[in-house]
Structure formats: C-alpha cells, structure tokens
Amino acid sequence: RLKKIGILFICTGEYWKFWDGFYKSCEENFLIEDEKHYFIFTDNEELLNIKDKRIHPIFQEKMDWPFPTLYRYKIFMKNKANFNNMDYLIFCNANLFFSEKVSKSELFANKDLFVTLHPGFFNKKPKKFTYETNVKSLAYTEKREDSVYVCGGFNGGTKDEFLNMAEILNYNIDKDFSEGIVAIWHDESHINNYVQIHKEEFNILTPSFCYPQHYNINISKKIIVQDKEKIISIKHKGLFYNI
Ligand code: UDP
C-alpha cells in the first residue's frame, strides 16, 4: 500500500500567507509517489474551513514570540492522536517551497529520521556553530570535530521515531523553561543537541533541501526557503508560486 506521509505545517498569525504556495509546490514536487496528508495548525478561519480528505486543519492559537517556534513539539505531542494512521511525519517551516522533485528515498536513505544541514553553517568549522553554550540548558552541546549544525525548519521520521524525538525535545524545552532558560536558537538548539547524541539514526541532508531564496551558493535548489519578510509585510503580493 501507499505510505501515508503526515506533513506538519504551523501557520499562526500572518503565516497563513505561505499556505497556497507551499501546498501547490508540495503537491507538484514533494513525495509524489506517496499519500500526503497535511496537518495545518492555524488560527486562520479560511484554512480551518478547508474540506479535503488529505487536509486536516487543527486550531492553534497565536502565541507570542518565541513560542510559535519553541513550542512546536508541544503542539505535535498535544495532537499526536491525529497522526495515528500516518507512516511518516515531516515538519516543514511555513516558508518552504518545493522547486524540484524530491522522493522519500532521498530524504531517508536507509534511516528512520532525517534532518537538514543549516545553509549558513554547512561549510563552516564546528567552532563557528551557534550551539547553546549554557551548561545548565538541556540543549547544551559540545563542539566536536565531527559535529554538524542543522536547521530546525525541515526534518522528519517514521511516525514513531519522530514522535519519540518530539517527546524528548518537548520535555527538554519545558525543563529548561521551568528553570528560566530558553536556548539561544530555541527549538533549533534542542534539535542540534538531539542530533549530536543520535547522529547515527539520521540521514543528514545537504542545504539543497533548505536553500534560502537570496543565497548564491554552488549547490542545487530542491527546496527553497522563501525570504519571509517579503511575504509577511505585503498582503498577497510576492507569493512564490513560480520560480
Ligand atoms: N510560525 C508561525 N507563526 C508565527 C511565527 C512562526 O506559525 O507567528 C511558525 C511558521 O511555521 C514558521 C516557523 O514557526 O515557519 C518558524 O518561525 P521563524 O520565524 O522562526 O522562522 P525562521 O526564522 O526559522 O525562518
């Protein structure tokens, strides 16, 4: 049978503006051989009213910064019963745009989890990585010769492995918060810590899968990270349907 892929898409506040471009490019280019289901966590009325058997809107209230990003794993844990029928779960930042075909085997190779190297650090030495440096934080990560720095915006796994990671990250984030600590790059610091500990379990993708729109680096662009300032400040204009 076809594998069911749950795409986790958070868009509160103005981020609903990315949905159309995200959805259209995803349908066209992303895992076209699998059965994709979209879980949209949003406070946008229009998106909450979408009726489609593969689109599952879930109400999520708007939060103040940094909680929309810091609490993403809490949102997934709270709603995990919705993912029961899925085989895989993939988190995508709202401003991703799929510009080339991507298959499941490229994402996972033979692993159960994948993450993406951060485009700003993939060609830098570990001493430049912006890991959390507070030893009291559960996101504290040592810099080693073979360390990698990953971005928070595109990662996934089999349902069980992804939810297992989400549960641990949610716990670590809450534990830090209860001690008055928010890691320097929020959820990204915590996932970097998790990847360092569990590196062998991950397929680690190149930044071709998170290529910032305004960058000019010599790698292919499979998934583009749209410059969000352009879209969020001007209504409906500049949506990145075609590249
Ligand atoms: N997000 C949201 N509402 C907000 C802020 C963030 O839905 O008000 C979600 C959205 O999915 C976005 C992600 O959180 O892509 C990460 O937000 P951030 O602004 O940190 O994006 P980045 O800096 O990683 O591009």
Side-chain angles (χ1 to χ4, degrees), residues 2 5-7 19 23 26-27 30-31 34-40 50-57 86:
L2 288 181
I5 316 281
I7 308 240
W19 167 252
Y23 174 63
C26 191
E27 283 292 281
F30 192 56
L31 310 185
D34 302 293
E35 183 179 315
K36 293 190 291 285
H37 285 258
Y38 298 84
F39 296 90
I40 315 178
I50 296 176
K51 304 269 182 283
D52 184 298
K53 57 181 188 314
R54 291 192 293 107
I55 302 180
H56 313 284
M86 297 297 118

Side-chain angles (χ1 to χ4, degrees), residues 97-115:
F97 184 94
F98 301 88
S99 56
E100 274 181 27
K101 296 270 181 294
V102 173
S103 69
K104 194 156 74 288
S105 59
E106 265 180 281
L107 295 181
F108 289 98
N110 55 351
K111 304 288 173 97
D112 283 345
L113 290 161
F114 75 84
V115 275

Side-chain angles (χ1 to χ4, degrees), residues 177-192:
F177 199 71
S178 71
E179 289 168 21
I181 301 169
V182 173
I184 175 166
W185 290 107
H186 319 109
D187 53 290
E188 186 170 284
S189 306
H190 285 274
I191 199 172
N192 269 287

Side-chain angles (χ1 to χ4, degrees), residues 9-23 42 44 47 94-95 226 228-241:
F9 186 87
I10 302 177
C11 62
T12 59
E14 274 195 276
Y15 281 71
W16 63 268
K17 291 176 184 170
F18 292 106
W19 167 252
D20 276 353
F22 174 86
Y23 174 63
T42 187
N44 180 272
L47 299 191
N95 55 336
Q226 299 183 66
K228 51 182 193 258
E229 294 74 17
K230 288 187 187 158
I231 291 175
I232 289 190
S233 56
I234 41 175
K235 280 195 174 169
H236 289 289
K237 270 173 114 184
L239 284 172
F240 208 154
Y241 290 119

